[in-house]
């Protein structure tokens, strides 16, 4: 399998970035959405993992933006109608800034709440801003809202992938395998 993309297909690097980030992001999303119903000590432990995974998402998403800007997007398969192509590209492109903004708002809410961000216990990220309960509330709300926007976009993305693969029968998911 070639490392780089072609104008019509994804290479190994794009595929590894896609599935590694898919796993990390879906883990953080599910964890975040259930934080509210968790016993305190479990929540405390998982928030440490949540922040570490989130920091890894930020670093890998920056690498993915550099890679995608260098490679461009491979063309979607012929049989897909124009409005679906446009919508697919819109979702793909929208996911990039949103998946940078989500870890950054998490980092900002932790700094404003006066909580350090340790990355897998290896090193701590510097505080982006000083302790400020008002900003902590604002970034918490932003992090919350973005969490639901990501959930909606990924639901559309994954439903479309399965629809094309199984209903339209154009084996679309194979393009990312
Ligand atoms: C957190 C989860 C996910 C994210 C953030 C995500 C994001 C993306 C993005 C941004 C692209 C455009 C190519 C690129 O720039 O890398 C893409 C392509 C693709 N994704 Fe996902 N994806 C996720 C999960 C999934 C899942 C679970 C499936 C399948 C079941 C899937 C199937 C595909 C396919 C088939 C393509 C290629 C579309 C094309 O033909 O160009 N994705 N994904
Ligand atoms: C792609 C990465 C991330 C996703 C998808 C994500 C998603 C979420 C979601 C859905 C919630 C629940 C929102 C709520 O109910 O308040 C949450 C909470 C939280 N996230 Fe993230 N997050 C990510 C990255 C981060 C990062 C990098 C940090 C910190 C460095 C972070 C810190 C937090 C904290 C402290 C909470 C709890 C907020 C509270 O107590 O209400 N998150 N996250």
């Amino acid at each position: 399998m070639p490392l780089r993309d072609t104008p019509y297909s994804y290479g190994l690097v794009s595929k590894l970035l896609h599935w590694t980030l898919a796993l990390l992001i879906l883990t953080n999303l599910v964890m975040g959405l259930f934080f509210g119903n968790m016993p305190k000590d479990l929540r405390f432990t998982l928030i440490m993992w949540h922040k570490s995974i989130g920091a890894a998402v930020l670093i890998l998403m920056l690498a993915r933006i550099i890679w995608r800007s260098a490679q461009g997007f491979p063309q979607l398969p012929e049989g897909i109608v124009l409005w679906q192509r446009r919508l697919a590209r819109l979702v793909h492109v929208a996911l990039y800034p949103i998946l940078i903004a989500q870890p950054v708002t998490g980092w900002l809410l932790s700094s404003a709440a006066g909580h350090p961000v340790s990355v897998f216990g290896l090193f701590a990220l510097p505080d982006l801003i000083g302790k400020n309960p008002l900003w902590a509330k604002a970034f918490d709300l932003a992090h919350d809202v973005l969490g639901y926007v990501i959930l909606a976009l990924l639901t559309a993305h994954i439903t479309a992938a399965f629809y094309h693969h199984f209903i339209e029968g154009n084996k679309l998911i194979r393009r990312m395998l």
Side-chain angles (χ1 to χ4, degrees):
M1 187 183 300
L3 287 180
R4 305 172 69 92
D5 299 353
T6 73
Y8 304 95
S9 66
Y10 294 99
L12 184 60
V13 174
S14 287
K15 291 176 181 177
L16 285 177
L17 281 170
H18 180 271
W19 294 115
T20 309
L21 276 158
L23 187 66
L24 295 176
I25 292 160
L26 292 173
T27 305
N28 250 16
L29 201 57
V30 172
M31 222 196 278
L33 292 173
F34 287 98
F35 272 153
N37 322 330
M38 278 179 202
K40 249 192 161 36
D41 48 354
L42 176 62
R43 186 174 184 280
F44 181 77
T45 313
L46 286 186
I47 275 205
M48 309 307 280
W49 284 99
H50 182 86
K51 293 181 180 181
S52 298
I53 292 171
V57 168
L58 181 59
I59 295 162
L60 286 174
M61 277 307 295
L62 291 171
R64 192 172 178 178
I65 287 177
I66 295 167
W67 180 257
R68 186 58 53 222
S69 341
Q71 303 282 300
F73 282 100
Q75 278 192 17
L76 284 161
E78 279 305 311
I80 298 182
V81 293
L82 187 61
W83 72 267
Q84 288 177 1
R85 282 162 180 278
R86 293 221 169 112
L87 192 58
R89 257 318 157 248
L90 188 68
V91 170
H92 293 163
V93 171
L95 280 167
Y96 278 90
I98 289 172
L99 288 170
I100 295 284
Q102 184 65 337
V104 170
T105 53
W107 186 1
L108 283 163
L109 93 83
S110 298
S111 300
H115 296 147
V117 178
S118 152
V119 181
F120 300 110
L122 299 171
F123 59 92
L125 295 180
D127 285 340
L128 289 177
I129 55 173
K131 197 167 175 179
N132 182 319
L134 216 59
W135 278 118
K137 245 201 170 72
F139 289 124
D140 186 17
L141 179 65
H143 198 65
D144 202 359
V145 171
L146 280 174
Y148 287 102
V149 171
I150 293 169
L151 183 64
L153 286 176
L154 291 182
T155 306
H157 177 64
I158 297 169
T159 311
F162 278 99
Y163 167 76
H164 279 288
H165 191 89
F166 294 107
I167 312 293
E168 296 271 346
N170 57 24
K171 304 282 171 264
L172 188 86
I173 296 177
R174 281 218 197 123
R175 279 167 57 90
M176 203 41 100
L177 295 179

